[in-house]
Amino acid sequence: MTSMTPIETIDWHTGGEPFRIVPDCRMAVAGDGLTVAERRVLAMESDEVQWVRALLCSEPRGHADMYGGFLVPPDDSGAHLGVLFWHKDGFSTACGHGTIALGAWAVESGRVQAPADGVTDVVIDVPSGRVTASVRTVGGAVEDVTFTNIASYVLDRGVEVATSRGTVTVDIAFGGAMYAVLPAQAVGLRVRPEDITQLIEIGREIRNALNAAGAAEHPTDARLSGIYGTILTEEVHSPEPRADGSRRLHQRNITVFADGEVDRSPCGSGTSARVALLADRGELRPGDELRHESIVGSVFRAWIAEQATAHGNPAVIPAMTGTAYQVGTSRFTVDPRDSLVPGFVLR
């Protein structure tokens, strides 16, 4: 792809978080014979792919919190499609909100055939593994999408981090990416829009300190190592009993990922890490539901789909239901006289 080739995108949002889909990927990462995990490494090493990512993320075509994905071939015929997730700082290993948006798009666009009423599984290969978006249609329209993730687990607990707000203790969990998790009150904040600047600052500070210390090494795949984001949590109210004996937990979170980006949705991979942590302590049991709310009020309903093991340790397969909607289509072009290509970010 040259700088003069128009780039067609379809823009969606999941719970308020943008997801810019590039369905026609003509770059080297779209070639045959590679896994999606290998394509991610290739993308990170490619000046061409990084240029296109920067063009679509950066102002004036994007913004500091833009998110999207290049569609690529799946690992094999067992999946409908593959995707490379990207943001302003690079390529992520997993993205739950993007998976939900891709499932809805695949059905609405006709790429995956679905009945007018029913549930259709859209199988997607992402860098961290194979995931499923179960798309529920009613009257020919997508009603919601349930995202079933890979095995998620606790990596470490009680890790101390020195910050500008004092020493705090975080738990580290994997939900397709590595997250550091702590209560917002531990740093004197609330999960609310008026605290957003301070939440970003402390989230970035904790992530950077942990990565400098090498605190999140993946047991088998170095490509999945490193803290991707910091999740600051807040309990909305105590667990509520339900008629069948299960409980509903209601919590709020903000996920600050990459270099200070904020997930407007409850964050799919972050919710998976949260489910793993709650399950590990028996706070979320099979049959229970976590109502996981974002800083803008959007909600994922999450639960333990099944028990699992990962690298010889207890794990869970998390599932969650959310909604995604198309917001527009774009045809991005580049004027050769434009000195601000591929763009800039002012945060």
Side-chain angles (χ1 to χ4, degrees), residues 137-152:
T137 47
V138 177
V142 173
E143 187 73 9
D144 54 37
V145 181
T146 296
F147 162 51
T148 304
N149 202 359
I150 61 173
S152 301

Side-chain angles (χ1 to χ4, degrees), residues 84 146 165 171 243 299:
L84 298 180
T146 296
R165 291 174 173 265
D171 297 326
V299 173

Side-chain angles (χ1 to χ4, degrees), residues 8 25 41 47 64 108 126 132 135 223 230 246 255 326 337:
E8 309 281 350
C25 183
V41 174
D47 290 341
E108 285 203 355
V126 308
T132 301
V135 183
R223 296 172 298 188
T230 304
S246 66
T255 300
Q326 185 176 329
R337 300 168 296 175

